[in-house]
Every structure is written in C-alpha cells, then in structure tokens.
C-alpha cells in the first residue's frame, strides 16, 4: 500500500508527484481542491513515506513510467477507485498520461510532464535532478541554517520554483531531505529515457478524455519552450496552458491558478 492522504468529497482526484518529491508538494492547494474533490495525494514507491517498489514484471524497466503506472493502477484498484481524475507533476505527469492512455482516467492534467524532451533535454533534466540530490546530501548538516534564511531558500530552491521566496523554511528542509533519502531516485532517473509519446503515435484513450498540459514559463528543469511545443504537436486536442512566472513546481508559485486548472473545466 502506498502512503497517501485522502480528504474532501466529490469526484475523486488523484495527485502524483515527480522524481525525488513527495505528496506534500501539493499542499499549497490541497485545501482548495478538497472543497470540490475527494483528493488522494500519494507517495510513489521509493519516495516520501512509501516503501521501495517490488520488482516489476518481465520486460518492465524498474522505476520507469510504465512500471510506476502499474503500481499506481494496482494501488487505486486496492482502494476501489475507478476512472478518477488524475493530476501529475513531472514524472507524475508522465504516469498520469500513461494511465489515461490505458483508459484508467476520467481526465488528466499534467504539469511539466516528462516524455516531451529530446535527448539533450532529457540529459539536462537528469543532470539537474541528480545535481540537486548531490547538493542536498553534501550540504545536509548546514541545510537547516541555510534554509532558515530567505536568501538561502532563494539560492537553493530557485531551480524548482519561480517564486522561492514564498516557501517556508520547514517545507524546504523537509523536501530537501526527502530528495536526499529517496531510495527509488536512482532507478527512476536512469529510466527517464524509456517512455515518451512519439509525434504521430496513437494516443489511445487520451483522445477521448479531457487532457490539460501545463508549463511554468520559468521552469528550469524541463524548459517549456521546446517541450511545451512538442506536447502541443503530440497532443493537439489537449488544453495547453502556460503559467507566467511559475517554475517546475508551480503549486506554491500560483496555488489558486493551479487549483482552478484541476477543478474548473474550460
């Protein structure tokens, strides 16, 4: 069973975080979402408070989008949740799109999803995330002191956030430690090149449900200009949204707008 938080009432909305993250990344807008949805925010296996994953089936790469989509699908089946609304961030965005492609979602909203990169963009993302993890580990003894200051949070968190000065010291420290400690990180990072939706491919069940692709214009992890354009080419019937001034994790940058994207169908 994956660690998760469940609250609110209404249609079920499942929130899937990205590589090295945890379910608390959605906290800035969780209260607003719970007024309109029954929200399930989960920790992927090997991240947050969830145990490491079991070995995948034959031919499935450990930590890949396909593997993690299998795990999430099994988790939702265990809860008795069928065809929920799905929202994912980065790696979680790829997982949400894969589950939607399989016909297991009522709708999909993907914030800066993986899979729309070229080789250089994938390597850049792997380098940024790997470097952030290494830095968090190297600075571990000093992190409480550094992140207690606004300049420290600006320096260390601006790679992920467009407005890092809004973050709390406690949240930054907890997120840095989660990134450092996640046992699922290395395998998932290695598996990044396995999954994508190639241009012109049959999107399967995604063609029959509402799909929204969201990118922050200050995303330094998966820069939006090329990747958002690829997403538009590959999913032309989806709703494509840019969030001005927001980073790779826009939920603290603009929680109201992000919550609206998940609760108001346009």
């Amino acid at each position: 069973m994956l660690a998760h938080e469940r609250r609110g009432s209404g249609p079920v909305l499942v929130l899937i975080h990205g590589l090295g993250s945890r379910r608390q990344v959605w906290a800035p807008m969780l209260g607003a979402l719970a007024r309109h949805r029954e929200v399930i925010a989960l920790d992927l296996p090997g991240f947050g408070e969830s145990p490491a994953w079991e070995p995948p089936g034959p031919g499935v790469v450990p930590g890949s989008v396909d593997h993690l989509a299998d795990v999430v699908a099994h988790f939702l089946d265990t809860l008795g949740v069928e065809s929920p609304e799905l929202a994912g961030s980065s790696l979680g965005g790829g997982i949400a799109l894969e589950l939607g492609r399989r016909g297991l979602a009522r709708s999909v909203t993907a914030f800066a999803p993986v899979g729309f990169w070229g080789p250089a963009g994938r390597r850049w993302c792997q380098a940024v995330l790997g470097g952030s993890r290494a830095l968090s580990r190297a600075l571990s003894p000093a992190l409480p002191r550094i992140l207690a200051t606004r300049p420290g949070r600006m320096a260390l968190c601006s790679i992920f956030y467009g407005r890092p000065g809004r973050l709390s010291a406690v949240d930054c420290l907890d997120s840095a430690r989660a990134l450092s400690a996640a046992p699922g990180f290395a395998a998932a990072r290695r598996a990044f090149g396995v999954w994508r939706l190639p241009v012109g491919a049959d999107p399967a069940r995604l063609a029959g449900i509402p799909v929204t692709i969201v990118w922050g214009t200050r995303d330094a992890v998966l820069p939006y200009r090329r990747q958002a354009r690829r997403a538009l080419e590959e999913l032309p019937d989806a709703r494509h949204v840019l969030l001005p001034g927001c980073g790779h994790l826009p939920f603290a940058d603009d929680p109201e707008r992000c919550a609206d994207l998940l609760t108001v169908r346009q």
Side-chain angles (χ1 to χ4, degrees), residues 55-67:
V60 180
V61 177
S64 65
V65 166
D66 285 322
H67 175 204

Side-chain angles (χ1 to χ4, degrees), residues 195-223:
W195 181 91
R196 73 189 306 259
L197 287 171
V199 174
D202 180 4
R205 301 291 183 84
L206 286 175
I209 62 174
V211 175
T212 301
I213 307 295
V214 187
W215 239 284
T217 61
R218 293 182 64 182
D219 191 331
V221 179
L222 295 172

Side-chain angles (χ1 to χ4, degrees), residues 17-18 20 23-24 36 51 69 93 115 127 131 135-136 155 172 181 183 193 206 241:
H17 65 76
R23 67 184 186 272
Q24 287 84 355
H36 305 279
L135 184 62
S136 294
C172 288
L206 286 175
V241 179

